[in-house]
Amino acid sequence: MSETSNAPLVAVIGAGPAGLMAAEVLSRNGVRVEVFDAMPSAGRKFLLAGIGGMNITHSEPLDAFLGRYRTRREALAPLIGRFSPDALRAWIHGLGIDTFVGSSGRVFPTEMKAAPLLRAWLHRLREAGVQLHMRHRWVGWAEPSDHAQVLRFETAGVERLVQADAVVLAMGGGSWPRLGSDGAWVPLLEARGVRVQPLQPANCGFDADWSAYFQERFAGQPVKSVAIGLRSSHDGALQFRQGEFVVTQTGIEGSLVYALSAPIRDALAAEGSATIWLDLAPGWSAQRVTDELMRPRGARSMSSHLQSKLNITGVKLGLLRECLSKDAFADLTQLAKAIKALPLRLTRTRPIDEAISTAGGVAFEALDAKLMIKCLPGVFCAGEMLDWEAPTGGYLLTACFASGAAAGQGALDYLATMAR
């Protein structure tokens, strides 16, 4: 659509999945769309996330899927209900990209990469008339004119003003500053009276204050066939989740840790530290572990005995020695209990710029049902700018796509209302 068109103009700020999806919804409904982003090219975080295999969504039943959003399930359910994981897969197929379901239930493009998908998508958007303006950093508003939004951008060392009939903000959280998600929008919205929950690391690692020996010997090593237990806030019972994680120089990270990062972070905020419990032999019953340990070991060392009877060696053995006193390690009863529930004290979350995603953001209570900011008519929010979080596994991207589509539709409805 040409720039001389009389169609209304919507400015989308942020060229990630949420912003581009809003642009698609708007452009296919006859609205002029201009997308602005501070980075030199679109979808930078999306591309980086796809380097190790583009996990686009998950195939589990919708009720279980929605449960991954914890306290924001109710807010996200209608958005994802309108743009479900199945709808997302169908949309990808419409771009000429096939998908498949992996053994874990995660859904991937057949090529396992984000770049082909993004190229096809950007081509379709440009064909629809969407204009992309890179290296445009949004720095707030000028004074509004009637119902229009007058936006200020810094580009090439100068300020540019853009007047739009509506705005979709989709600038991400604060966890990837080098890719554009730096949270610089927070004070801009707060200055306008928008309620923003503090940004916090999500899907993040944690510090464990290792000894120098353990740090030097085991940093970088994966811990496989393990479970992590957390005490229930309801009854104090240990609830375990199995997977794997990695020992780092400062603590722990990896998929199993990310899946539990929200309750661990909450415990740290409440108590100042958090204790998790490691089950180093999740396939064995406590009684079997005890029986094997109690077998005579003759002249063998305890380390050899553990390796021979329970296949505990390397980093798992190191964890036992790191977290237990010498007396406890030598006591077979205490050692058996520790193999099934080894306490590991975590002291801090890693910094927000190391996290995969962030919690916090624009509160849903500050928005109407169409994702418009109540105190800023005509301004909509989508993606990680909103106050929600989810584990890795396709849940993050699905909610970004779904909220982008919802914000785009919300802007369409707003424009229709204003035209009456």
Side-chain angles (χ1 to χ4, degrees), residues 252-294:
I252 58 174
E253 65 178 22
S255 58
L256 180 55
V257 176
Y258 301 154
L260 298 168
S261 63
I264 294 173
R265 187 192 64 232
D266 293 347
L268 279 167
E271 305 294 336
S273 67
T275 298
I276 62 173
W277 305 82
L278 306 181
D279 183 348
L280 302 178
W284 295 51
S285 68
Q287 187 59 55
R288 185 182 175 193
V289 168
T290 299
D291 291 345
E292 290 298 323
L293 272 183
M294 294 301 178

Side-chain angles (χ1 to χ4, degrees), residues 25-196:
V25 169
L26 288 158
S27 63
R28 71 184 179 213
N29 283 277
V31 175
R32 285 189 298 144
V33 182
E34 297 192 21
V35 178
F36 301 85
D37 197 285
M39 294 290 102
S41 58
R44 290 216 157 184
K45 182 179 177 182
F46 182 66
L47 289 173
L48 184 63
I51 287 178
M54 180 81 264
N55 179 199
I56 202 79
T57 188
H58 203 286
S59 63
E60 68 185 347
L62 187 59
D63 186 63
F65 188 99
L66 292 172
R68 307 295 184 178
Y69 299 99
R70 301 179 75 228
T71 59
R72 287 307 190 183
R73 172 182 178 141
E74 184 176 346
L76 289 169
L79 312 184
I80 295 173
R82 291 192 293 269
F83 198 80
S84 67
D86 286 343
L88 176 54
R89 291 185 73 185
W91 174 82
I92 294 171
H93 298 161
L95 288 170
I97 306 292
D98 290 331
T99 61
F100 71 96
V101 180
S103 59
S104 65
R106 298 184 181 199
V107 177
F108 302 87
T110 301
E111 295 184 31
M112 296 290 288
K113 296 178 181 177
L117 191 160
L118 183 61
R119 281 197 300 269
W121 192 9
L122 290 174
H123 175 74
R124 187 162 75 183
L125 288 172
R126 291 188 176 103
E127 288 288 302
V130 174
Q131 297 183 42
L132 277 77
H133 304 278
M134 299 295 104
R135 295 187 172 90
H136 277 65
R137 177 173 291 278
W138 180 60
V139 292
W141 286 272
E143 289 303 313
S145 172
D146 297 327
H147 296 297
Q149 304 284 337
V150 182
L151 304 164
R152 299 169 53 224
F153 294 93
E154 290 180 351
T155 179
V158 299
E159 182 171 286
R160 177 185 175 186
L161 298 181
V162 174
Q163 181 168 303
D165 297 287
V167 180
V168 175
L169 302 177
M171 290 175 282
S175 61
W176 294 73
R178 63 191 178 90
L179 300 179
S181 295
D182 57 9
W185 52 266
V186 172
L188 298 177
L189 293 188
E190 288 181 331
R192 291 281 176 136
V194 181
R195 179 181 168 191
V196 180

